[in-house]
Amino acid sequence: MGDWTSLLPALTASERQRVEAGLSEADARVRPLFQETTTYFWAAAVTGTPEWAATGSWPAELRRRAALAVHLAAATSSVPTALNDVVRSLADGGHDWTRADLVWCLDVAGRAWGYQNAAHLELPATIAGCLSPADLADLVPALSALFDELAADHFLAAGPRRRVVTLIGEALDRATGRRVPSWLLHHGDEFGPLVRAGLGDVLAAPGVPELLVHCASLDKPAAPAKWLRVLDEQLRTATDGRTAVRAVLAAFAAHRRSVHEGSDRLLRGLVWALSRESDEAATDLLARVTDAASAAPRQASGFPHAQRTAIAAVHLLAGRDGEAPVRTLARLAVTVKNKAVRGRVQSALARLGALRGWSLSEVMELAVDDHGLDSTGSRLTRVGPYEATVRVVGEKARLTFARGGTGLKGVPAAVKETHADELRQLRALVKGINATLTAERQRVEALLSEERTWAYPDWVSRFLDHPITGAYGRRLIWETSADGRDWSAGLPREDGDGWVVAGPDGRPARGDRVRLWHPVRARVGETLAWRARVLATGLTQPFKQAFREVYLLTPAEERTSTYSNRFAAHILRYRQANALMRARGWQAGYLGTWDGGYDSEATKVFGGGAWRASFHHELVDTEEPHRYDVQYCSTDQVRFARQDGATWQPAPVADVPPLVFTEAMRDVDLFVGVTSIASDPQWADRGEDRFRDYWHRTVVGPLTPAAEVRRDALSRLLPRMAIAGRVALADRYLHVRGNLRGYRIHLGSGNIMMEPNDTYLCIVPARGGAGRLHLPFEDDPMLSMILSKAIMLAADDTITDPTVLRQLAA
């Protein structure tokens, strides 16, 4: 226990004798009744058994002594027993507890083992709640120190901790005369002291402490009608009650960090209090609170800052008018990693769309924040004598300064010194724009699995003129049609009359409907023509489109009917695979050596929410008996399900729309291609014998669709390079002629074999090895790696890396 024990006053010998009198006899009476609970702390409480009911007829003094005896047992036992209910049952009944009883119990608790169930604190907390302020006066220092320790303790279970913190806090408030309850906004996090320091007068206004207590009493995300009636009455009668609600929530929205479980409960009640206001300012504040509560630390993306508050706020925000709810929820739909909160966000968006007559996909589309940028993606702000410009360049927002039209390098010193607040706001704007750009890239790419069409004016306003989405839409291939049957593909081009869809020959295509082009719907010749066009124009697409892989149903998958084994039986580096799955929007339970952790099912929704793909994978046991982290996993089936109301119904692979099938299989191919042990250039040096056959089979195996696209890209890129005369493409390999030896680079795994004896060559290339060569897409790291290896090997006589030279010499 902590230093609070040193602050306890000492008991006199007579006081101790009076407290301990009869403990042995009471222990002998009660112990047989709770023997069955001396297992683990999750054992069932004995107070619900018929035998325990007899204690209700015991004399009050016997029950008091029995409570003290059980407290001693709970504090000094070497077995974590479930005695919380036993202590509470015996302590109930209006005993005449004394100050000496409390000091004795605290002294015993200070010597306790400190188990998670906090049974050793039940009785002292109960007694403290019964004593008068005079009895507690000299115990305030010790109780305050104990309170602070408990508030910050993350080992104790939430329920018992909340109970003892509340009782001890109420005792302290009686002894000190504090208006705002100690157990609210305490030192268990940074937020509580921050609010108390900044809003002390508001929190202590008449009726406000009672309002805060009521808000913290809400146990569920949805507030019952009775609870709301009490809330409305308190908001009506409390001086500055509505002001306090908004002030605390505004402080949390600005704080934007993880809070204690108790603060989370309070904030949940406060958002319900805020929801009783219908003005636009309340809606904007609710949106900011929702965003802050749903956000998570970078190192723990699955743990929101305030999960209880987030779930309640998401529900309430969906029923509000205006653009703020749509934009906030749409952004959270692609940024939140926590499964519970993300599910609530999806449901809220569907409900919001139903209220406004929009599909879920359209809700996401209309909600994209423009951050005040003009159609060129810029925003000019005067900061003193300077012009500050925030501009979207490529896929990033940049902040630049100028004076009198002359650009400056960096941020002027005068701005840092005298306009710090404006600079902080501009940097926050840049950060917000970049977050929206990241979310939009994911959303726009997800449209490739949907059969969406847009009216021409809607397409222009949402995908071309929009300052955020336009950064992607203007670099993609689109199709237009006048009748919905014949479609003509082209790139957006701004002419004198506005935006047109210009085909490969430059002529505009006409039509009043537009859809996103996908190679799965195109003829091979058309796809190849667009690949040539993208390279010729120097266009870098935000993600693979012209060079996108296509996955069509195979006869083997038609025979299996309900699943695909196309990517089964691969060995993946598990941590990288799991991280990549999450980055691509797949939800997956983590594998581990615990019950239920030996297999997992990664899932992702496609087709605008109508279809779900499942990728099964299993833990590969380590051969080291005392190693519990998961190094590898093996891949298994890919299955599909169709949404049927609130449930998912398994569907044959033949029924899956081609767009959904190809996009899902592309992701799985990515997981295998990037994280397979076959793609690790250093694996051969440390590989395990049990995987050696798989590794050798895979590093030279047939090319997957992803590798086939990579081969086509190389066939177009290599003639433009200085090493064109030293390389040649074969079926599976890129052959490189060096000055010392010849080499074969496998187009799937990127592994290198030296000719003529096929000796393996391990090279770990530096990033950016492809130099300034224009690539038509940036989401295939293997392409860049192969090019960097080819450039190095074509000039192998200039290599200075000793690890590579040793292999070449061997």
Side-chain angles (χ1 to χ4, degrees), residues 267-283:
L267 291 167
R268 176 172 61 186
L270 289 174
V271 297
W272 274 97
L274 180 64
S275 73
R276 312 308 277 176
E277 308 288 334
S278 58
D279 57 285
E280 185 177 348
T283 300

Side-chain angles (χ1 to χ4, degrees), residues 73 171 207 231 251 400 414 438 593 699 778:
L231 174 67
T400 59
T438 300
T593 54
V699 295
E778 298 178 353

Side-chain angles (χ1 to χ4, degrees), residues 435-450:
T436 304
L437 283 165
T438 300
E440 266 303 87
R441 185 190 183 280
Q442 297 176 17
R443 186 190 71 82
V444 174
E445 186 176 14
L447 292 173
L448 287 167
S449 72
E450 294 186 45

Side-chain angles (χ1 to χ4, degrees), residues 607-631:
W611 290 86
R612 187 182 71 180
S614 302
F615 174 42
H616 298 258
H617 50 289
E618 300 174 349
L619 176 151
V620 175
D621 282 326
T622 177
E623 293 184 339
E624 301 176 38
H626 300 296
R627 184 165 187 165
Y628 301 106
D629 61 315
V630 181
Q631 291 181 282

Side-chain angles (χ1 to χ4, degrees), residues 747-765:
L747 301 179
S749 65
N751 286 289
I752 307 168
M753 298 294 179
M754 295 186 289
E755 298 175 346
N757 57 346
D758 285 347
T759 305
Y760 175 71
L761 173 63
C762 176
I763 295 179
V764 182

